[in-house]
Amino acid sequence: MQKKELSLLDGNSLLYRAFYALPTTLTKSDGTVTNAVFGFTRMLFSLLEEREPDLLGVAFDLPAPTFRHQEYEEYKGNRKETPDELKPQFRIAKEVLEALEVPIFEKEGYEADDLIGTLAQKAEEEGYQVTIVTGDRDNLQLITENIQVMYNKRGISDIVDYDLEKFREEYELEPQQLIDKKGLMGDKSDNIPGVDGIGKKTSTKLLKEFGSLENVLANIDQVGGKKRKATLREQADRAKLSKKLAEIKVDVPLEVDFSELVLSDYKNQQVYDLFMELEFSSLISQIGGHQKLEVVDYQLIENQEELEKLDLTKEVAITLDLTGPKLKQELAGVAVATLEQSFYCNLATDELLNWLEDIFTTKEVLMVEAKEQIRYLLQQGIEVKKLSFEPLVADYLLKPSEKEKEFEELVTSHLQREIEEVTEEESLVLQTSLLFDLEEELVAKLEENELLSLFREVELPLVSMLAQLELTGIKVSSEELERLSTKLAEKIATIEEQAFQLAGEEFNLNSPKQLGVILFEKLGLPVIKRTKTGYSTSASVLEKLEGQHDIIPLISEYRTYTKLKSTYVDPLSDYINQETGRIHTTFNQLVTATGRLSSAEPNLQNIPIRTEEGREIRQVFVAEEGKHLLAADYSQVELRVLAHISQDEGLKEAYQQGIDIHTKTASEIFGLALDEVGREERRKAKAVNFGIAYGISDWGLAKRLNIGNQEAKEYIELYFERYPQVKEYIDTTIAQAKRKGYVKTLFDRKRYLPQINSKNYHQRSFAERMAINTPIQGTAADIMKMAMIDVFNLINNGEFSSQILLQVHDELVLEVPTAELEEVAQLVRERMEQAVELDVELEVDLKYGANWNQMKEIEGGEIDVID
DNA sequence: CAGCAATGCAA
DNA sequence: TATTGCATTGCTG
């Protein structure tokens, strides 16, 4: 018969590991840090899944001094105190173990190690196979044929399994000799002294020769080296003491009945409740929700007659069973649900589409992952008249900082239920029918949080719009891409050659590590800044080294061109859809914490513009024959939003009088008349204006402007003097955030900031900056979303053939038939400027052109003369 | 091959 | 030790 397996965990060392492996931002909503408990529990669960032990126990240290401290006062004397954020987590971890019904071992005067050693040896005698799980290498001394150690090297998943063979291979010793080794070499982390001058290598050598510490000491004569002989004689007692300290006890007086360590069914209600309280939702799905869902009864519809006979309520939930990659999906079937009944229709695509067209024009529809499905429908020529609910979007509004969730997680967290593992068809039907329950629950929560109108009037309509944007895509000239790629390749090759020449050797210019060696070691340039892993070679560092060596400008140029080629030019070709000749990015509505959209695969929101070389990339984005690209961007929305929400007189006045805001700020800070403000003052003022919206610090501003801290500090102080209501806004917003735990945009979008009351300065400051920035950035995002909806409706209702292609935070890019350019341009401006009414006017600049690079201004817009 | 660090592009 | 993102290359385990 196979031996039963016992797993013994060292609770202390594992909690420490988990604490340092996971960010302390992992908290409950009330700010209680739970990172270590979470990591520990996850380690425990993966152990249970992978090893499936029959028995389980966890050992902890107790704060009381142990026999080791009595023997040697300095034992562990160099240990830092347990971090404040970790301390309370021991209690919580024990609560988790209690809920899981896992036995806990603690004994005054002994460390967790000793308990584990004793238990392991007893268990071995009784015929068990033992696995010790720990973050402490000392335990390796316990290894035998039947006892192995899973050593958590770092993080929470970097685990090395040591059995006898592996240990011998690595240490070239027997496990018990590890104690002798510690006796000789000591252990810094536990403040065990060992013998001076003996380290890893020597200790192994000596033990291989003499077998044990005692034998080494008994044969000091035979030890090589005069000095070493002397030290060993002198420090023999110290060595013996060190060995004693390092030896894990295996004779702790413990009464154990191993049968009591049998693992219970830990997937119980108590555990579920505790995990809910700790907000461990991902772990909840691992143990299964507390209420298993019955598989829904549903009717299978296999012919068109049955389908058409269906009598559905006004609100239906629908899930299209789509397979295949984006824009090439196929429809395998449709799951349909009303409050009372559910169906799965498995028919030919054409028949399904016919029916869907009718449904989507006459019903209000609940959908999950709606954007993907709507995009498919639009591709088939079907419009969605009313999307009435989408749970992922609702959940995002409630908790925008959390990572995007799966449908199953919503069911667990909002309905406290779990989806049974069933066939794909069944789960699709179940999912569809659950949309009604989720709607009830989530709409109530949105209502409570005053988020319902943002949900219904902004986010839901946006879903269909984004589907349309993605489907439309933007035309890209592959010839132009090709040309750019060749041009860049040539430049790069030349630069590379010159750089190698100057360096006197070939190396990988892309490797900051190799580059660092060349610059700072070989060429002896001064080190400006260091990173965690070595020298920094960032653009700002290179800028400071400019002039010191001819290779520096070459490296900067190399960086610029390879960046452009490898990030923008070359990858773009792969994204061109062969059928449409266009690039169809994915707009994500559920990513950012502030309410902005994001774009990926490819990211079309970070195409270069600031430098001429980069800007050329925009040339590849073109309008179709007979059309133009129209770019409409808000002029300084965020600062205008700041003017509105802070109600600052000076700021508002500037906008009301149409004064360039950076010039105005410059005149205030530098005490100049408006017409005396020069280029440099305006540049600095611009940085200050931006900085304010990001929750400025003097240090940050100094770095950005390459000026002294004192100077930066003065600018900030002067700014607040001249715009006092802005200062007031910042103070009251932070105070409010501390009181309520969240901040809101002008349109009630919410963001929780659990770290705002943290005792950790860095975390707290970071949360404070978020508190300042989120209402500004978020309100701007709200405005743009509303504007998009207005522009979209305008185009649809006005029977224009123009299309929105992209949104770049404060800019919309449209493709407009030349015939309607004038009219659409003016209407877009109007809609965007009137999207919301603020105390300062919104201003939109318009440009048009055959491509996204060379564009001409359309009258009226403010011309930014200087920058 | 996954995940992290360094770097850099946009608003 | 300025906000929000996405993506690249190098490098490590």
Side-chain angles (χ1 to χ4, degrees):
Chain A
M1 200 181 87
Q2 184 119 40
K3 282 186 171 180
K4 291 222 169 178
E5 186 162 326
L6 163 66
S7 291
L8 292 170
L9 279 64
D10 179 339
N12 281 72
S13 69
L14 294 176
L15 274 166
Y16 262 93
R17 279 292 145 91
F19 179 77
Y20 288 111
L22 299 173
T24 48
T25 46
L26 213 159
T27 62
K28 299 203 306 184
S29 307
D30 68 7
T32 313
V33 180
T34 53
N35 66 333
V37 180
F38 179 78
F40 173 75
T41 313
R42 245 185 43 186
M43 291 189 230
L44 177 58
F45 276 23
S46 52
L47 173 80
L48 295 180
E49 262 168 38
E50 282 165 28
R51 292 276 166 142
E52 298 181 354
D54 305 286
L55 313 175
L56 185 66
V58 179
F60 283 95
D61 297 346
L62 280 181
T66 66
F67 69 91
R68 292 189 180 85
H69 294 94
Q70 286 158 12
E71 297 263 353
Y72 180 59
E73 241 174 75
E74 291 87 27
Y75 179 66
K76 292 196 174 177
N78 55 351
R79 283 283 169 95
K80 273 195 231 148
E81 215 199 325
T82 309
D84 279 343
E85 282 168 318
L86 175 56
K87 278 185 193 160
Q89 296 196 58
F90 282 94
R91 182 63 250 153
I92 307 175
K94 287 175 191 171
E95 279 170 33
V96 169
L97 292 169
E98 275 157 26
L100 293 165
E101 293 172 36
V102 174
I104 294 172
F105 295 91
E106 301 174 303
K107 196 168 174 79
E108 219 163 273
Y110 295 94
E111 294 182 46
D113 284 348
D114 303 315
L115 302 175
I116 287 180
T118 305
L119 288 166
Q121 208 170 77
K122 278 196 181 173
E124 184 181 28
E125 282 162 17
E126 292 187 27
Y128 293 98
Q129 181 71 37
V130 182
T131 304
I132 296 169
V133 188
T134 179
D136 186 346
R137 268 188 193 273
D138 287 352
N139 286 271
L140 297 181
Q141 63 182 263
L142 297 168
I143 292 174
T144 67
E145 279 297 344
N146 305 305
I147 301 178
Q148 42 180 319
V149 171
M150 286 173 74
Y151 169 59
N152 188 300
K153 210 164 151 196
R154 56 160 210 202
I156 61 167
S157 45
D158 188 357
I159 287 165
V160 189
D161 289 336
Y162 281 94
D163 56 15
L164 197 51
E165 199 186 340
K166 162 99 184 172
F167 181 90
R168 286 174 175 158
E169 196 182 299
E170 190 173 317
Y171 283 83
E172 303 174 66
L173 295 172
E174 290 300 304
Q176 308 86 297
Q177 288 177 299
L178 193 56
I179 315 165
D180 301 88
K181 190 174 160 73
K182 283 273 168 76
L184 286 164
M185 66 180 277
D187 182 344
K188 262 205 153 139
S189 69
D190 288 344
N191 211 20
I192 296 178
V195 177
D196 290 340
I198 297 189
K200 218 165 145 181
K201 290 265 166 62
T202 319
S203 56
T204 305
K205 205 183 95 203
L206 290 173
L207 290 170
K208 273 167 85 176
E209 196 178 338
F210 299 102
S212 70
L213 172 68
E214 288 72 19
N215 237 337
V216 172
L217 296 175
N219 296 286
I220 293 182
D221 295 345
Q222 295 169 46
V223 173
K226 262 192 181 163
K227 181 111 193 254
R228 186 154 292 145
K229 279 193 183 95
T231 332
L232 275 169
R233 283 209 179 86
E234 257 169 50
Q235 303 185 356
D237 286 343
R238 210 168 101 179
K240 284 187 220 155
L241 172 65
S242 295
K243 176 172 173 177
K244 200 168 172 190
L245 292 173
E247 180 170 22
I248 292 176
K249 289 259 175 194
V250 290
D251 56 1
V252 179
L254 274 179
E255 287 297 316
V256 205
D257 177 357
F258 283 106
S259 68
E260 281 173 13
L261 272 62
V262 173
L263 207 54
S264 66
D265 173 23
Y266 56 89
K267 299 182 177 181
N268 60 36
Q269 183 69 38
Q270 208 192 338
V271 175
Y272 173 85
D273 289 342
L274 183 58
F275 284 4
M276 277 299 273
E277 197 222 306
L278 293 170
E279 299 174 33
F280 288 171
S281 44
S282 63
L283 293 175
I284 289 178
S285 9
Q286 275 194 42
I287 59 164
H290 76 165
Q291 190 182 338
K292 299 261 178 187
L293 277 177
E294 301 292 314
V295 174
V296 239
D297 271 334
Y298 67 97
Q299 188 187 335
L300 192 61
I301 295 179
E302 288 173 301
N303 67 65
Q304 188 146 22
E305 277 167 53
E306 278 181 311
L307 183 62
E308 268 153 23
K309 270 197 298 190
L310 287 184
D311 183 23
L312 301 174
T313 45
K314 187 147 185 304
E315 253 204 325
V316 290
I318 291 186
T319 308
L320 306 192
D321 194 347
L322 293 171
T323 56
K326 193 178 174 187
L327 300 170
K328 293 198 168 86
Q329 293 133 313
E330 310 225 354
L331 183 60
V334 178
V336 184
T338 65
L339 267 172
E340 290 85 30
Q341 28 181 354
S342 303
F343 314 92
Y344 186 88
C345 319
N346 188 357
L347 281 87
T349 303
D350 284 348
E351 294 175 319
L352 285 175
L353 287 175
N354 264 332
W355 179 78
L356 286 170
E357 177 153 32
D358 176 52
I359 295 295
F360 278 101
T361 44
T362 57
K363 308 278 185 193
E364 296 183 1
V365 189
L366 292 74
M367 286 197 278
V368 61
E369 287 174 19
K371 191 186 66 182
E372 281 60 42
Q373 301 177 57
I374 294 175
R375 194 178 57 227
Y376 172 82
L377 290 166
L378 287 168
Q379 198 177 17
Q380 308 310 317
I382 297 172
E383 273 192 48
V384 175
K385 196 163 150 253
K386 177 138 194 203
L387 173 66
S388 67
F389 181 71
E390 212 285 0
L392 296 163
V393 174
D395 182 72
Y396 166 70
L397 283 183
L398 292 167
K399 294 182 165 188
S401 306
E402 286 182 11
K403 70 162 209 305
E404 200 176 334
K405 273 165 250 171
E406 302 278 317
F407 183 81
E408 285 77 7
E409 295 175 88
L410 297 191
V411 175
T412 332
S413 61
H414 294 289
L415 301 178
Q416 288 80 49
R417 294 190 226 163
E418 191 214 2
I419 294 187
E420 283 258 295
E421 277 180 44
V422 282
T423 68
E424 209 157 303
E425 184 178 305
E426 281 170 338
S427 85
L428 215 63
V429 175
L430 178 58
Q431 173 178 307
T432 310
S433 67
L434 281 172
L435 283 171
F436 289 98
D437 300 299
L438 278 169
E439 183 186 31
E440 191 182 339
E441 181 68 23
L442 285 165
V443 165
K445 288 182 180 166
L446 290 170
E447 175 91 78
E448 275 172 46
N449 288 279
E450 301 174 297
L451 287 164
L452 201 52
S453 74
L454 192 65
F455 178 65
R456 292 209 167 127
E457 281 152 44
V458 179
E459 299 297 342
L460 280 185
L462 198 64
V463 174
S464 311
M465 292 191 42
L466 295 180
Q468 179 69 65
L469 260 63
E470 292 183 6
L471 179 64
T472 307
I474 182 165
K475 192 177 174 195
V476 166
S477 160
S478 42
E479 296 78 23
E480 192 67 14
L481 264 179
E482 184 87 5
R483 197 184 65 74
L484 274 177
S485 180
T486 315
K487 186 174 130 189
L488 288 169
E490 285 164 7
K491 286 196 176 183
I492 290 165
T494 316
I495 296 169
E496 199 170 32
E497 209 177 303
Q498 293 174 339
F500 290 162
Q501 196 93 66
L502 286 171
E505 66 180 286
E506 299 205 352
F507 63 101
N508 187 347
L509 268 165
N510 284 319
S511 162
K513 198 169 141 193
Q514 292 183 32
L515 180 61
V517 172
I518 297 282
L519 293 184
F520 306 113
E521 290 174 19
K522 188 164 181 193
L523 302 178
L525 293 166
V527 177
I528 307 288
K529 202 170 77 177
R530 288 179 186 276
T531 64
K532 263 183 252 176
T533 52
Y535 314 109
S536 169
T537 64
S538 67
S540 67
V541 168
L542 295 178
E543 203 183 306
K544 291 188 176 70
L545 290 171
E546 191 105 0
Q548 301 227 20
H549 196 284
D550 288 345
I551 201 172
I552 300 297
L554 287 175
I555 292 162
S556 304
E557 270 188 85
Y558 178 87
R559 284 257 173 90
T560 309
Y561 294 127
T562 50
K563 177 78 179 183
L564 294 176
K565 187 166 188 292
S566 66
T567 310
Y568 298 101
V569 177
D570 292 343
L572 278 184
S573 320
D574 302 336
Y575 287 108
I576 300 178
N577 183 304
Q578 289 312 307
E579 270 118 81
T580 61
R582 300 170 80 94
I583 286 182
H584 305 262
T585 183
T586 301
F587 283 107
N588 202 323
Q589 194 178 354
L590 313 177
V591 166
T592 70
T594 54
R596 278 186 173 185
L597 298 180
S598 78
S599 153
E601 295 187 303
N603 180 357
L604 294 184
Q605 291 180 321
N606 74 339
I607 304 298
I609 190 167
R610 292 172 193 192
T611 66
E612 186 45 45
E613 309 93 79
R615 204 185 166 111
E616 275 184 37
I617 290 173
R618 295 190 166 219
Q619 257 160 237
V620 311
F621 297 92
V622 298
E624 279 175 15
E625 192 73 17
K627 297 183 180 178
H628 278 99
L629 292 183
L630 173 68
D633 70 284
Y634 279 115
S635 163
Q636 299 162 349
V637 241
E638 294 196 357
L639 283 177
R640 288 172 199 262
V641 166
L642 177 61
H644 176 90
I645 56 184
S646 70
Q647 286 294 316
D648 187 274
E649 290 307 325
L651 220 45
K652 283 202 292 186
E653 205 182 278
Y655 283 115
Q656 280 153 7
Q657 296 174 359
I659 302 169
D660 174 80
I661 189 64
H662 304 315
T663 307
K664 159 113 180 176
T665 299
S667 87
E668 301 285 4
I669 293 180
F670 298 105
L672 300 167
L674 285 171
D675 56 7
E676 289 170 348
V677 172
R679 208 190 144 83
E680 189 55 15
E681 286 98 359
R682 185 179 182 276
R683 185 183 73 88
K684 287 182 176 170
K686 188 173 173 180
V688 175
N689 279 333
F690 272 95
I692 294 295
Y694 296 150
I696 204 164
S697 74
D698 45 12
W699 197 93
L701 182 67
K703 206 173 99 171
R704 178 139 302 228
L705 285 177
N706 240 325
I707 58 176
N709 273 6
Q710 191 50 40
E711 192 181 349
K713 200 173 165 193
E714 279 165 26
Y715 293 165
I716 296 169
E717 277 166 11
L718 277 166
Y719 180 98
F720 286 140
E721 232 168 77
R722 301 299 170 164
Y723 301 111
Q725 285 97 333
V726 171
K727 173 74 176 145
E728 208 177 293
Y729 157 75
I730 290 175
D731 293 342
T732 54
T733 304
I734 291 176
Q736 229 177 73
K738 288 186 192 295
R739 212 168 49 244
K740 297 185 174 167
Y742 61 82
V743 288
K744 274 184 164 198
T745 69
L746 199 53
F747 302 95
D748 291 338
R749 187 185 301 276
K750 227 170 168 175
R751 178 180 185 181
Y752 287 91
L753 299 167
Q755 312 293 345
I756 194 93
N757 291 314
S758 166
K759 282 181 214 155
N760 178 313
Y761 173 81
H762 285 290
Q763 292 185 7
R764 188 177 63 248
S765 309
F766 193 30
E768 287 172 359
R769 294 195 294 273
M770 291 175 184
I772 297 164
N773 176 256
T774 298
I776 301 171
Q777 187 181 121
T779 301
D782 295 343
I783 294 172
M784 179 48 112
K785 284 179 170 176
M786 291 187 264
M788 281 174 81
I789 294 168
D790 290 349
V791 170
F792 192 79
N793 289 335
L794 157 89
I795 291 172
N796 278 359
N797 302 338
E799 292 175 7
F800 294 105
S801 322
S802 298
Q803 286 175 302
I804 305 180
L805 308 184
L806 302 175
Q807 187 254 44
V808 192
H809 309 307
D810 66 355
E811 174 185 14
L812 288 182
V813 178
L814 295 92
E815 191 172 32
V816 182
T818 310
E820 57 189 59
L821 181 61
E822 272 301 304
E823 194 179 356
V824 168
Q826 297 310 331
L827 286 169
V828 166
R829 165 178 282 159
E830 190 182 301
R831 294 292 167 124
M832 286 176 71
E833 289 183 345
Q834 304 307 322
V836 301
E837 177 107 9
L838 301 184
D839 291 338
V840 295
E841 298 291 324
L842 289 175
E843 210 173 281
V844 170
D845 296 333
L846 296 170
K847 282 176 281 183
Y848 74 99
N851 64 60
W852 202 11
N853 180 23
Q854 288 130 352
M855 301 191 103
K856 269 171 72 175
E857 302 252 359
I858 299 180
E859 60 88 19
E862 163 201 321
I863 299 161
D864 211 344
V865 203
I866 301 171
D867 254 26

